[in-house]
Amino acid sequence: MEALLLGTGLLLGAYVLIYYNLVKAPPCGVLGSLRGRTAVVTGANSGIGKMTALELARRGARVVLACRSRERGEAAAFDLRQESGNNEVIFMALDLASLTSVRAFATAFLSSEPRLDILIHNAGISSCGRTRETFNLLLRVNHIGPFLLTHLLLPHLKMCAPSRVVVVSSAAHRRGHLDFTRLDQPVVGWQQELRAYADSKLANVLFTRELATQLEGTGVTCYAAHPGPVNSELFLRHVPGWLRPLLRPLAWLVLRTPRGGAQTPLYCALQDGIEPFSGRYFANCHVEEVSPAARDDRAAHRLWEASKRLAGLGPGEDDDPNEEPQPEDSAAPSSLSTTQPEELTVSELYPGAQSLPDLSKLTRRIQVKAESEP
Ligand SMILES: NC(=O)c1ccc[n+]([C@@H]2O[C@H](COP(=O)([O-])OP(=O)(O)OC[C@H]3O[C@@H](n4cnc5c(N)ncnc54)[C@H](OP(=O)(O)O)[C@@H]3O)[C@@H](O)[C@H]2O)c1
């Protein structure tokens, strides 16, 4: 009997420790009004994205739910209007797996919405499911699509500065490793998928780091946010049906609610005074140090260049003709290494768009930054 009581006590104690250190999320705590501001949240029809959009709507923002399914997106917009009492919550179609869809979303958004104050890249996948693509679908949805979307929406973000970009990454980035010779190789099997997920989350952190450098002085700041371990459909939807009823109660016990998961992305989007931390990674509403691979400025810059090619952005205004060609040039599939003929380029969409900073200046800034860091 005593042993049973002791065992129960130990189990309860362990759970309390897990609950307060892992499950319970510190609240974002920023309550200011967002009336007159516009936010875009990708993948906002479920999980963390839906709760993030709800909190933005409650604070009075106009919120665009950028989702791939009209049915799920419209249903979420309806729910969020009801729950927040804010009628300015709308759905717009965005499938991050398709570069054409990303461009169509950007064109529709820029022609119908006069402002963009907060862009939250929340949508993500952990598996390719049953699809068999000729490219790395995890990298496409989790990084390349958001990369292109950021480029296309930058004119609005700059116009509305101070404005913010939040990239929902993950602690899984610590297991990531980017092989630039195989960046866009299709992913097959669950082991490759797990690796590709971690790699794409590392790409999120490196992208945020480089974006901050590129945007210095523009008033647009950016942050990578880890939501914590969250009880959502992200992984559960891919486990066999018979296992789900067993895993659901366990997930409910030891993982955060999606509302808890939304707190760090919200903090990064709303907290005053974090601008000096632009480009950094946040977890539990605090800035956190990242893995060595995620603070490699050369890799961040190399990823930026590779992403431009994979996103179908032609040689851009920030290209340096003297730069040595990178090995990934030859590895990139030819269909993605140049601008898609049926798709418009950024300069075609925005002939007057402000050009990104000159690459030689950027390289110097990266060198200075690298030298000043331990
Ligand atoms: N859950 C965790 O423990 C955890 C931990 C660390 C980081 N994260 C990150 O948090 C973010 C949100 O995940 P979650 O946990 O809330 O998962 P979730 O409930 O599965 O939500 C993912 C969202 O992304 C959308 N999406 C998927 N593919 C898309 C595409 N091709 N185009 C546009 N939208 C697409 C989904 O739409 P559909 O409903 O149409 O599929 C869904 O709305 C992800 O970036 C994830 O990597 C999650």
Side-chain angles (χ1 to χ4, degrees):
M1 185 63 184
E2 273 174 13
L4 186 69
L5 279 174
L6 187 69
T8 313
L10 280 175
L11 268 179
L12 272 175
Y15 182 67
V16 169
L17 271 180
I18 291 174
Y19 181 80
Y20 282 101
N21 287 300
L22 202 73
V23 182
K24 194 172 186 295
C28 145
V30 185
L31 297 170
S33 167
L34 295 175
R35 220 159 281 284
R37 309 271 183 87
T38 299
V40 168
V41 184
T42 67
N45 57 281
S46 69
I48 299 162
K50 190 172 181 189
M51 289 301 111
T52 306
L54 174 62
E55 293 303 321
L56 295 171
R58 280 193 173 140
R59 287 161 173 80
R62 177 170 172 79
V63 187
V64 176
L65 313 184
C67 310
R68 62 176 162 171
S69 149
R70 173 168 292 280
E71 201 187 336
R72 290 192 290 275
E74 297 277 21
F78 178 81
D79 289 350
L80 296 185
R81 284 194 294 266
Q82 298 270 306
E83 268 191 73
S84 65
N86 177 348
N87 278 331
E88 301 269 304
V89 181
I90 62 160
F91 155 79
M92 284 177 75
L94 169 70
D95 180 354
L96 289 160
S98 155
L99 299 179
T100 308
S101 170
V102 174
R103 288 178 183 278
F105 173 88
T107 308
F109 180 87
L110 293 167
S111 58
S112 62
E113 297 292 328
R115 346 182 19 102
L116 178 56
D117 300 276
I118 300 168
L119 170 59
I120 302 192
H121 291 299
N122 162 80
I125 52 171
S126 63
S127 159
C128 304
R130 294 211 184 109
T131 52
R132 291 284 167 265
E133 303 291 355
T134 53
F135 51 84
N136 180 341
L137 184 63
L138 277 121
L139 190 79
R140 172 72 71 85
V141 173
N142 295 356
H143 167 64
I144 300 293
F147 174 88
L148 178 60
L149 187 61
T150 311
H151 267 268
L152 298 176
L153 298 183
L154 260 184
H156 261 40
L157 285 162
K158 285 181 179 170
M159 193 179 68
C160 297
S163 52
R164 292 189 182 182
V165 179
V166 179
V167 184
V168 180
S169 179
S170 168
H173 83 269
R174 297 184 194 283
R175 295 193 310 273
H177 166 78
L178 293 182
D179 178 349
F180 285 96
T181 62
R182 304 173 49 82
L183 218 46
D184 203 34
Q185 291 290 306
V187 174
V188 185
W190 65 271
Q191 282 163 316
Q192 279 191 22
E193 284 180 344
L194 274 182
R195 264 200 298 274
Y197 178 74
D199 296 349
S200 72
K201 293 291 140 182
L202 171 61
N204 289 160
V205 182
L206 288 171
F207 165 55
T208 308
R209 195 171 175 90
E210 178 78 7
L211 184 65
T213 310
Q214 299 264 356
L215 292 175
E216 244 174 58
T218 62
V220 187
T221 54
C222 55
Y223 312 88
H226 169 48
V230 176
N231 183 9
S232 70
E233 291 301 306
L234 186 70
F235 292 99
L236 270 183
R237 77 177 82 196
H238 301 294
V239 302
W242 60 267
L243 201 55
R244 267 178 242 163
L246 295 174
L247 289 181
R248 277 196 196 282
L250 194 67
W252 182 82
L253 268 180
V254 300
L255 301 179
R256 262 175 207 179
T257 60
R259 188 180 298 257
Q263 299 307 307
T264 299
L266 283 166
Y267 180 90
C268 292
L270 305 177
Q271 180 64 45
D272 279 336
I274 60 168
E275 293 79 2
F277 298 106
S278 182
R280 301 287 298 273
Y281 170 90
F282 286 71
N284 288 322
C285 300
H286 282 108
V287 69
E288 217 176 64
E289 197 47 279
V290 288
S291 62
R295 41 177 205 270
D296 179 344
D297 284 323
R298 282 176 65 89
H301 177 60
R302 200 170 169 193
L303 174 67
W304 183 277
E305 290 303 309
S307 304
K308 270 170 57 182
R309 280 182 283 275
L310 293 176
L313 290 166
E317 54 271 61
D318 57 341
D319 265 348
D320 182 346
N322 298 323
E323 194 191 25
E324 277 183 39
Q326 302 289 338
E328 73 272 11
D329 285 1
S330 53
S334 56
S335 63
L336 290 173
S337 60
T338 54
T339 307
Q340 308 285 301
E342 79 281 12
E343 296 180 347
L344 292 171
T345 62
V346 185
S347 50
E348 278 165 351
L349 272 170
Y350 311 107
Q354 206 186 335
S355 58
L356 289 167
D358 170 63
L359 187 66
S360 53
K361 280 190 227 150
L362 168 70
T363 314
R364 270 200 303 282
R365 281 211 301 274
I366 290 173
Q367 278 165 353
V368 170
K369 209 167 148 193
E371 279 159 16
S372 63
E373 283 195 3

